[in-house]
Amino acid sequence: MWETEEFGDEHEGRPGVLLADGTEPGPVYFDAGSGPTVHQSTDWYVYDGTLGAPVATEMRGACSCGWRGTPRYPLDWEAVERRKPYLFDTSGPEDDWDAHITDVQARTVPLPVDLTALLDQVETRLTALTADEPLAAIRAAAALERMTRRTAADAAYNLDTVDGPDWDSVAQALGISRQAARSRLTHYALRR
């Protein structure tokens, strides 16, 4: 799985697969015997035809947000080490996912340049403080948490209008889904 610190599981990438007919298969289920749980997987390497799984013929980039890459990459099962599938080259799909993330970031609301520089300075200083004076770093982190809690609550409050926020715009500006945007703003607003 590929992810960014900023977007986390909202944009978790992975190599996706396609069957010979061009469709994306559903999860593969593994019956481990009796019991209420049945393991399932959508990892690309389970689509190798064993244990009743369909055989994937191509890979492409995939993201948890629903995005799917257009380029397709042939999947040569003879080149995949059965016990070490992670050694197989999935750089094409990953590069496509990286381009998707770059596009998502380009559509988010930009931070002011001076604020970005300040945040970088604070991170650099806190990183050094963590090594030299860990208790001071913890105190500084607590101060930042209080400040960001207040700022987030005030910003969430200021976004609210008579008709409520435009959730599509909020989601795009933050680079996350509508549901995650609503959840985040509600979380911030309730901290007020």
Side-chain angles (χ1 to χ4, degrees):
M1 295 287 194
W2 316 305
E3 63 180 37
T4 65
E5 191 173 19
E6 180 177 6
F7 300 122
D9 63 2
E10 278 291 303
H11 287 284
E12 193 171 66
R14 64 182 174 77
V17 295
L18 294 168
L19 303 178
D21 64 1
T23 61
E24 184 173 316
V28 173
Y29 296 94
F30 301 97
D31 186 2
S34 63
T37 353
V38 176
H39 178 71
Q40 68 175 358
S41 178
T42 55
D43 291 328
W44 69 268
Y45 51 82
V46 301
Y47 298 96
D48 63 356
T50 59
L51 300 174
V55 178
T57 58
E58 296 176 307
M59 297 180 117
R60 66 178 173 179
C63 186
S64 60
C65 72
W67 170 89
R68 297 297 185 261
T70 304
R72 296 178 176 193
Y73 303 90
L75 187 49
D76 178 9
W77 287 106
E78 290 183 20
V80 177
E81 288 190 48
R82 183 173 293 288
R83 296 188 191 274
K84 298 177 184 177
Y86 52 84
L87 295 177
F88 188 76
D89 181 16
T90 60
S91 60
E94 186 173 6
D95 290 345
D96 297 338
W97 176 80
D98 285 339
H100 162 64
I101 292 302
T102 298
D103 181 52
V104 169
Q105 287 172 326
R107 289 183 277 129
T108 60
V109 64
L111 293 180
V113 174
D114 63 325
L115 180 58
T116 300
L118 263 170
L119 290 171
D120 288 343
Q121 287 178 334
V122 168
E123 183 177 19
T124 300
R125 182 64 180 107
L126 283 176
T127 300
L129 197 60
T130 300
D132 300 337
E133 298 181 56
L135 290 175
I138 290 171
R139 187 167 179 213
L144 284 171
E145 287 174 357
R146 289 189 301 273
M147 180 178 43
T148 56
R149 191 174 334 147
R150 282 191 310 272
T151 302
D154 291 346
Y157 179 79
N158 288 339
L159 275 175
D160 207 5
T161 62
V162 174
D163 298 326
D166 174 0
W167 292 111
D168 288 330
S169 296
V170 171
Q172 181 173 320
L174 299 177
I176 57 179
S177 68
R178 282 177 54 105
Q179 180 181 352
R182 288 181 75 107
S183 176
R184 184 174 297 179
L185 264 60
T186 300
H187 173 75
Y188 290 155
L190 292 177
R191 296 168 93 182
R192 197 156 216 262

